[in-house]
Amino acid sequence: RLALLNSTVAGCRVCCKSSWAQLRDLCRRQRLQCRALGVTRRNLAHFEVEYLCDYKRVRDEEFYLVKWRGYPSSSNTWEPRRNLRCRGLLRQLHQDLARAPGGGAAVRPGPQGLPPRVSSYLVQKAEQRRALRHWELHLNSTRSHTGRIVVENEVDLHGPPRDFVYVNEYKVGAGVALSPVAAGCECRDCLSEASGGCCCPGASRNKFAYNEAGQVRIRAGLPIYECNSRCRCGAECPNRVVQKGIRYDLCIFRTADGRGWGVRTLQRIRKNSFVMEYVGEIITSEEAERRGQVYDRQGATYLFDLDYVEDVYTVDAAHYGNISHFVNHSCDPNLQVYNVFIENLDERLPRIALFATRPIRAGEELTFDYNMHVDPVDAESTRMDSNFGLAGGGLGGSPRSRGRIECKCGAAACRKYLF
């Protein structure tokens, strides 16, 4: 929140673009009271603790080295436990201390503080947590969907990924053109009128994909045609599901088994419900070939071939993507890929939607099969074969030239190799 403030204190006028916290700190540093900011004589000496970075005992009394919010590390001070009103940060420090290299019950803080290696870890962990919190705020200010994003890493010191830009829809690359849809349906009630073949799916001689609850009811491999911006129906039409975006609260978290980042749901998800789209930059297959060679050398790639009818375009989510960028592979996944058409009906450029294959519990990790093959339903469905050369969580390779990649999914039916 930004404030334009004229202080009510005589002789003090502050006109600036600052946060309320910054203005309160300014008042306290100048020993000034301000009714508008809630800085009174009783709390004038109260400063906000950003994090705790060391711990010692002196004559059976606990002291903590405090990093004050808004002040450099050179202003850190040792404070007795009785002066601190930050129970959450105190609890967090002792949790971090238990996980620190060389930490745990064996560490006995002395009058000078913790061993340098341990105190250094506490500072790194606090700085990492701050960076992840800022990234979480950025993700939530960027997203256009209702589902909230949470970021957690209680495993290692990895911070936000570099060179990753969160996008809500496809970014169109060079040599790719999306043609807007030219017509829409005239239905008043798309679900009830779908049997007559007049709605968008029927116009393309396909089945209506959803039930009244918005759950997919067609088999994987068949395309989904949703109503578009030219349709007569409104925003509550049951044939508008994927276009409404992610509606579940999801968490990007660091896995403890060497698979890098992963995604888990914070809410229960019903079977056949839409969960998220796979979003990234649409590029030509020729460009994908070139990038794949570069990604091979880097040991990671996020290339998803759009080969519903022919292999002409690829989605690259390495630098531009949404939360699906962090979803891991599993040989026994709980998400299934569907090809979806809404505002663009070019069959070479489907949107890639992920639906739940079964009920998913809150707290469960979301996964899909990077090497899935859809069982044929009819001639139409055989077109879908997701060639997905993706390497989140430390898996290497590219969709066109790769060695055998060991699978780390841990499923009972694991194929042992990803590709």
Side-chain angles (χ1 to χ4, degrees):
R1 190 187 308 174
L2 299 175
L4 188 65
L5 177 72
N6 286 318
S7 175
T8 58
V9 178
C12 176
R13 292 181 60 84
V14 180
C15 185
C16 60
K17 191 175 183 181
S18 303
S19 68
W20 289 110
Q22 289 170 326
L23 292 172
R24 281 192 289 267
D25 283 344
L26 177 63
C27 286
R28 289 188 170 109
R29 285 198 296 269
Q30 299 299 321
R31 308 295 295 174
L32 297 173
Q33 300 174 39
C34 178
R35 184 183 304 171
L37 291 170
V39 180
T40 65
R41 183 175 62 182
R42 295 185 62 183
N43 64 22
L44 190 60
H46 292 185
F47 290 86
E48 185 177 357
V49 178
E50 185 168 2
Y51 58 82
L52 304 172
C53 42
D54 207 340
Y55 168 54
K56 68 181 181 181
R57 282 180 175 272
V58 179
R59 292 189 293 275
D60 294 329
E61 185 174 10
E62 292 182 328
F63 288 81
Y64 293 86
L65 185 60
V66 176
K67 166 67 171 68
W68 300 103
R69 187 176 301 279
Y71 292 85
S73 298
S74 58
S75 298
N76 292 359
T77 59
W78 285 99
E79 299 293 335
R81 170 67 180 84
R82 64 178 182 274
N83 287 357
L84 300 177
R85 306 287 187 271
C86 50
R87 292 182 181 179
L89 291 177
L90 287 163
R91 183 170 57 251
Q92 187 70 69
L93 177 134
H94 287 284
Q95 289 174 351
D96 290 343
L97 182 59
R99 289 190 287 260
V107 174
R108 300 289 182 184
Q112 302 304 317
L114 296 164
R117 184 173 66 165
V118 177
S119 60
S120 175
Y121 172 83
L122 294 177
V123 173
Q124 291 179 69
K125 195 63 185 175
E127 294 287 354
Q128 175 217 45
R129 196 170 282 117
R130 179 173 64 174
L132 291 177
R133 186 164 54 248
H134 288 169
W135 184 45
E136 178 184 297
L137 290 171
H138 172 72
L139 293 177
N140 283 292
S141 67
T142 304
R143 64 176 168 86
S144 61
H145 47 82
T146 57
R148 184 172 55 98
I149 300 173
V150 174
V151 180
E152 295 178 358
N153 183 358
E154 300 302 333
V155 173
D156 55 32
L157 292 172
H158 276 81
R162 297 177 181 178
D163 301 324
F164 176 72
V165 179
Y166 196 92
V167 295
N168 294 290
E169 56 188 20
Y170 280 156
K171 176 180 173 62
V172 180
V176 182
L178 296 180
S179 302
V181 67
C185 71
E186 296 292 327
C187 305
R188 292 183 179 274
D189 185 345
C190 291
L191 184 60
S192 63
E193 297 178 44
S195 58
C198 68
C199 195
C200 295
S204 56
R205 294 181 293 179
N206 287 285
K207 297 179 180 179
F208 197 90
Y210 307 116
N211 62 18
E212 63 278 359
Q215 296 163 291
V216 68
R217 62 182 183 183
I218 61 174
R219 290 185 59 181
L222 291 175
I224 296 174
Y225 282 83
E226 291 196 0
C227 292
N228 59 62
S229 58
R230 293 186 175 273
C231 294
R232 185 176 180 178
C233 56
E236 300 307 312
C237 170
N239 196 35
R240 298 180 185 272
V241 175
V242 172
Q243 61 194 266
K244 290 183 178 179
I246 300 168
R247 56 193 179 92
Y248 298 102
D249 292 344
L250 304 176
C251 175
I252 301 171
F253 73 102
R254 195 73 178 172
T255 63
D257 55 4
R259 293 178 297 123
W261 295 102
V263 177
R264 60 172 168 243
T265 177
L266 300 178
Q267 297 174 283
R268 175 179 168 270
I269 301 176
R270 293 188 299 173
K271 181 180 179 180
N272 297 328
S273 296
F274 168 67
V275 179
M276 68 180 74
E277 274 190 81
Y278 190 81
V279 173
E281 182 184 6
I282 306 178
I283 57 176
T284 63
S285 294
E286 292 78 12
E287 176 63 13
E289 262 321 322
R290 188 191 68 79
R291 294 188 187 185
Q293 295 175 12
V294 175
Y295 295 154
D296 264 352
R297 293 192 291 271
Q298 297 174 347
T301 181
Y302 295 80
L303 298 175
F304 196 132
D305 290 341
L306 300 178
D307 55 357
Y308 175 61
V309 290
E310 56 181 311
D311 190 1
V312 179
Y313 301 111
T314 295
V315 177
D316 182 1
H319 301 295
Y320 298 96
N322 66 354
I323 197 167
S324 64
H325 170 100
F326 303 98
V327 175
N328 277 314
H329 161 84
S330 176
C331 296
D332 184 20
N334 50 24
L335 301 179
Q336 172 67 53
V337 169
Y338 281 80
N339 290 294
V340 183
F341 300 91
I342 308 176
E343 297 296 334
N344 168 66
L345 302 183
D346 186 340
E347 291 188 330
R348 301 171 302 169
L349 290 165
R351 291 166 67 162
I352 304 301
L354 297 168
F355 287 79
T357 60
R358 56 173 174 79
I360 304 175
R361 304 182 308 275
E364 188 175 346
E365 183 176 359
L366 301 175
T367 58
F368 69 98
D369 190 342
Y370 291 178
N371 198 27
M372 69 183 68
H373 294 272
V374 180
D375 293 333
V377 179
D378 53 21
E380 183 94 14
S381 69
T382 60
R383 296 176 182 174
M384 180 181 171
D385 177 7
S386 298
N387 293 327
F388 190 40
L390 183 145
L395 298 171
S398 81
R400 296 168 181 81
S401 61
R402 62 169 76 89
R404 299 208 73 183
I405 307 300
E406 182 182 357
C407 181
K408 300 179 181 179
C409 75
C414 180
R415 297 189 296 265
K416 306 304 179 185
Y417 291 96
L418 182 55
F419 300 109

